[in-house]
Amino acid sequence: MGDARREMKLGMFFAPGGHHLAAWRHPDAYPAGFSLDSYVKAARTAERGCFDLLFVADVFSLTPSANRADSFRFEPITLLSALAMATSRIGLVGTATTSFNEPYNVARKFASLDHISGGRAGWNIVTSSSPIEALNFGYDAHIEHAERYARASEFVEVVRKLWDSCEDGALVIDKPAGAFFDKNRVHQIDHKGTYYKVRGPLSLPRCPQGNPVLVQAGSSEAGMILAAGVAEVIFTIQRTLEGAKDFYAGIKAKAVAAGRDPGHALVMPGVLPYVGRTRQEAQDKHDLLLSLIHPEAGLSALSKLMEVDLMSSDIEKPFASLDIAGLTQTRALGVVETARKEGLSIREVYERLVVSKGHRQIVGTASDIADIMQEWFEASACDGFNLMPPMMPNGLDDFVELVIPELQRRGIFRQSYRGNTLRDHLGLPRPAGRRQS
Ligand SMILES: Cc1cc2nc3c(=O)[nH]c(=O)nc-3n(C[C@H](O)[C@H](O)[C@H](O)COP(=O)(O)O)c2cc1C
């Protein structure tokens, strides 16, 4: 049996139809259409499986390809507030971009969610990965990469100051004295930086968690520095054990260099498990989804990753014949390297490497899947995983029914929740607050 401190963390990354590019075309996907219902059911299933958190991503634009399901989405805070009422323990993590928001608004929304949910909120800090978003906010092109991270860093600083602007215990509700709150325990922040000027204080009492949990998924050097400097949960794309170990060691070293406890920067790579009662059943599930990929969807996903229009390409041609120069994204570079080394066709590249958005896929029985998860967890390659069910709802149902009990039997995952807040689940301390008197 593993001891309590060595239990893996599990996130449930929600995508309505599933994370596989073609999942939405599966006959069992979208049983409730585009509705809150499917989110509520999934949140409750994940809570039954004792997941640490439910995560919803966000993009402020519509993906142009009509063959894809990752286009329409609910606004995360509205959605998570609804899910807070349908669940009682699971953490609720939503994305908000620092590129097209104001710190005051973001601080207020996540603080509200933390109060509404009784201490279960988390903020996934992004600088916006889709360049189209900029076009919806008065820009002609995305803000340059280094500048968006400089803004993000100051943005997070302001949000944290706002969260700490009201001390614990400031809300006194002293009816005889006529004092609703204690003025001496509520502070202006008077922030004047390069990008933001914010007086504060925030118009909410301090959160149940002190601060909502900070989550980040940067993979560039600037992204990793932000993640290691502030994030308490770090999502990442890792396909190989060696790569995951390097990333893990890199994040932990950067966290230490930033003066943090590396145990409070939890690394959680994404994983797409195809779970079967037999290996053949798992393989059949995997193969069925592959057969459902519309070539346009494959090419659109590949174009997005490579940041060039590949829509008119012949998918049976070698990937190496494509004219792709000037790539900077690490994820795209990794795909190019594998494709060239293995001599893959364009179709094989999107089938093998792009359908899962670059994340690790595992095809097998519950025991096969638990073996790999345990190996990564025990080899200092991760602190847990962000589950990305290839299809919904079955991918999550199978995982909770078959894989969770296997992880529990091995003593590497909790049998039941021990606390009420997301910080309790993740073993993270409640920040003291910088303005406590
Ligand atoms: C699991 C996961 C979830 C992500 N969610 C979002 C998201 O909701 N919105 C977004 O704009 N970017 C999202 N990203 C992208 C990252 O924030 C980041 O931009 C990307 O990993 C590239 O790293 P870089 O920004 O350091 O170049 C996500 C990445 C991962 C791995």
Side-chain angles (χ1 to χ4, degrees), residues 341-353:
K341 204 158 60 190
E342 298 185 21
L344 303 179
S345 68
I346 296 171
R347 181 176 50 76
E348 285 168 326
V349 169
Y350 68 65
E351 282 187 355
R352 285 203 217 160
L353 307 171

Side-chain angles (χ1 to χ4, degrees), residues 13 55-60 73 94-97 124-130 133 142 145 148-149 216-224 234-237 268-270 329-331 357 359 386 388:
F13 183 173
F55 165 57
V56 288
D58 198 28
V59 179
F60 279 177
R73 57 182 78 237
T95 295
T97 178
N124 178 36
I125 307 156
V126 303
T127 62
S128 284
S129 51
S130 165
E133 286 185 51
H142 204 344
H145 193 272
R148 10 194 239 265
Y149 273 101
Q216 225 279 318
S219 59
S220 61
E221 186 63 15
M224 280 178 73
I234 294 134
F235 294 150
T236 175
I237 301 173
M268 295 167 65
Q329 275 206 58
T330 33
R331 192 153 71 96
K357 298 172 194 145
H359 291 270
N386 200 18
M388 300 170 63

Side-chain angles (χ1 to χ4, degrees), residues 371-405:
D371 281 350
I372 293 174
M373 292 176 74
Q374 183 167 9
E375 185 189 11
W376 281 42
F377 178 58
E378 291 177 352
S380 298
C382 65
D383 296 301
F385 294 89
N386 200 18
L387 175 74
M388 300 170 63
M391 69 156 298
M392 287 292 287
N394 309 10
L396 174 62
D397 295 343
D398 292 344
F399 191 88
V400 168
E401 196 186 321
L402 302 169
V403 183
I404 292 277

Side-chain angles (χ1 to χ4, degrees), residues 165-177:
S165 62
C166 199
E167 294 182 25
D168 285 315
L171 185 69
V172 288
I173 318 184
D174 186 341
K175 294 181 185 177

Side-chain angles (χ1 to χ4, degrees), residues 184-222:
N184 297 322
R185 301 173 94 178
V186 177
H187 311 279
Q188 290 184 192
I189 66 166
D190 294 319
H191 177 89
K192 291 188 189 73
T194 311
Y195 302 102
Y196 302 104
K197 190 171 163 214
V198 182
R199 192 197 68 171
L202 193 65
S203 52
L204 274 169
R206 197 151 190 267
C207 300
Q209 293 190 102
N211 292 177
V213 172
L214 294 176
V215 181
Q216 225 279 318
S219 59
S220 61
E221 186 63 15

